[in-house]
Amino acid sequence: MDEPTAPGSDPVREFRVERADRPPAAVLTVYGEVDMVTAPLLTAAVDEVLAAAPPALVVDIAAVEFLASAGLTALVTMTRARASRAVLRIVASGRATVRPIQLTGLEQSLLLYPTVEAALAGS
């Protein structure tokens, strides 16, 4: 019999991405930790959505509990590599997401919004 896993001990188990389209944009809401294990899962989810060619994609990381350097790299990479396919807007609020972005100066190169509604409006 498998023993229960302690909360937070398996980042892949805690990590999830939910899609909720809000035409004309696709919205991905990310939960858990975005680190070197889960960042490729986030990138794959973004690629899957962009394959359908929506005009805009909102990636909501407001519920992310930990944003590691691999997660920051993934955000920058997906913003640059996917820019020709769709406008990519990132929702970040709270210390776990905004602080690492500010500390690295990435707020200058990412389209950041405080809420999904603001990202959908593009304001």
Side-chain angles (χ1 to χ4, degrees):
M1 177 181 245
D2 292 334
E3 292 185 31
T5 304
S9 64
D10 184 357
V12 174
R13 184 175 281 169
E14 302 288 324
F15 176 85
R16 74 180 193 279
V17 179
E18 295 178 359
R19 181 176 176 173
D21 291 342
R22 302 214 9 214
V27 178
L28 291 179
T29 304
V30 184
Y31 300 91
E33 299 180 358
V34 183
D35 57 20
M36 68 182 203
V37 174
T38 59
L41 302 173
L42 174 57
T43 301
V46 168
D47 286 342
E48 182 180 327
V49 170
L50 291 178
L57 171 59
V58 174
V59 178
D60 180 2
I61 61 169
V64 166
E65 298 161 5
F66 177 70
L67 183 60
S69 60
L72 293 168
T73 300
L75 292 174
V76 171
T77 302
M78 69 179 65
T79 297
R80 290 182 181 157
R82 283 98 177 148
S84 63
R85 297 194 292 188
V87 174
L88 183 66
R89 299 176 181 146
I90 299 167
V91 176
S93 62
R95 188 169 176 84
T97 55
V98 174
R99 185 83 171 134
I101 290 169
Q102 289 175 333
L103 286 173
T104 55
L106 291 175
E107 73 273 13
Q108 304 301 318
S109 58
L110 300 174
L111 289 176
L112 296 176
Y113 297 86
T115 65
V116 170
E117 289 70 27
L120 290 169
S123 59

